[in-house]
């Protein structure tokens, strides 16, 4: 995860009233859903390395090019 991705998740996940709920929901929406969408589109393959970053203020998931 690039620093931009970490910062965006942390920024959106901070909430004094609700604690970690927003963080969990943000990870589900931005990370899990993003990975699933990219898998379905065929932009990444199962087992492929990915990177999370921020583009135009949104978290994006991209293939990094390597495989585990």
């Amino acid at each position: 995860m690039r620093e931009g991705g970490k910062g965006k998740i942390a920024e959106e996940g901070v909430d004094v009233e609700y604690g970690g709920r927003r963080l969990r929901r943000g990870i589900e929406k931005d990370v899990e859903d993003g990975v699933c969408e990219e898998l379905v589109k065929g932009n990444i393959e199962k087992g492929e390395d990915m990177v999370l970053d921020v583009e135009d203020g949104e978290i994006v998931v991209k293939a990094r090019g390597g495989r585990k």
Side-chain angles (χ1 to χ4, degrees):
M1 182 180 297
R2 296 207 170 116
E3 289 301 317
K6 287 180 191 178
K8 184 74 171 172
I9 289 173
E11 174 186 310
E12 293 182 358
V14 174
D15 190 309
V16 176
E17 184 177 348
Y18 295 108
R21 289 185 210 159
R22 285 188 53 177
L23 180 60
R24 181 178 52 91
R25 288 186 183 131
I27 291 170
E28 288 173 349
K29 180 179 82 66
D30 295 327
V31 179
E32 292 177 6
D33 290 354
V35 169
C36 291
E37 287 176 18
E38 295 304 310
L39 281 167
V40 169
K41 290 178 186 177
N43 295 333
I44 57 175
E45 296 179 16
K46 183 178 178 181
E48 189 169 17
D49 290 341
M50 297 169 279
V51 65
L52 299 173
D53 206 352
V54 176
E55 289 182 1
D56 299 323
E58 299 293 322
I59 294 177
V60 293
V61 178
K62 296 181 177 181
R64 196 166 79 181
R67 293 190 67 90
K68 288 189 173 185

